[in-house]
Amino acid sequence: AQRVTQPEKLLSVFKGAPVELKCNYSYSGSPELFWYVQYSRQRLQLLLRHISRESIKGFTADLNKGETSFHLKKPFAQEEDSAMYYCALKGTGANNLFFGTGTRLTVIP
Amino acid sequence: SAVISQKPSRDICQRGTSLTIQCQVDSQVTMMFWYRQQPGQSLTLIATANQGSEATYESGFVIDKFPISRPNLTFSTLTVSNMSPEDSSIYLCSVVLYSINTEAFFGQGTRLTVV
């Protein structure tokens, strides 16, 4: 069975400090991993996907198959990064996404 | 990309009644997904709405409680039937576009409170 684990429900960091939001997954095949973000009063939207190996708004995430992790990182947190972050997995041949429980990031000015 | 309009955005309902949530997409999509997000919990898939056939429900969700309609490729409804306070949740409509990259798009959600 597939599972996405985000161990931290809440995470607070000071502005300018590094931030890491943890995500571990359990899946027997080769999944696609995503990070979705929900800013206050906005809808859930894609932040980045592991396939693209991109940096969005200074965030990066590397898929570590050995550790089955897909942690989200940013070297210098900004106040506008305060939001709810969800790690999500799409299994091979699946049509929908499977979400973790989310981490609420608060960046303290 | 896809733009999803979902309504109502919120409602307060009496127990025992039913609420129908509408989801309109600005492009034709084969599958639409309905999620539930209970307080402090993850998004849980309720069902996949396929045009021209019955919806496919996930374990723990049944058609009698959550009937779904999918009359065309741009529209779907989810009804929460015979509501109880335990149905208080956010309900989300979603579509996934499979082009060069896979991406899911979401409606703004319906915040339901059952009293």
Side-chain angles (χ1 to χ4, degrees), chain B residues 22-34:
Chain B
Q22 299 180 5
C23 180
Q24 179 78 50
V25 188
D26 68 344
S27 57
Q28 294 185 338
V29 292
T30 304
M31 284 177 282
M32 297 175 73
F33 304 94
W34 287 98

Side-chain angles (χ1 to χ4, degrees), chain B residues 77-95:
Chain B
T77 67
L78 170 76
T79 299
V80 186
S81 303
N82 189 25
M83 289 183 285
S84 66
E86 291 71 37
D87 295 320
S88 297
S89 187
I90 296 174
Y91 293 86
L92 289 161
C93 172
S94 173
V95 301

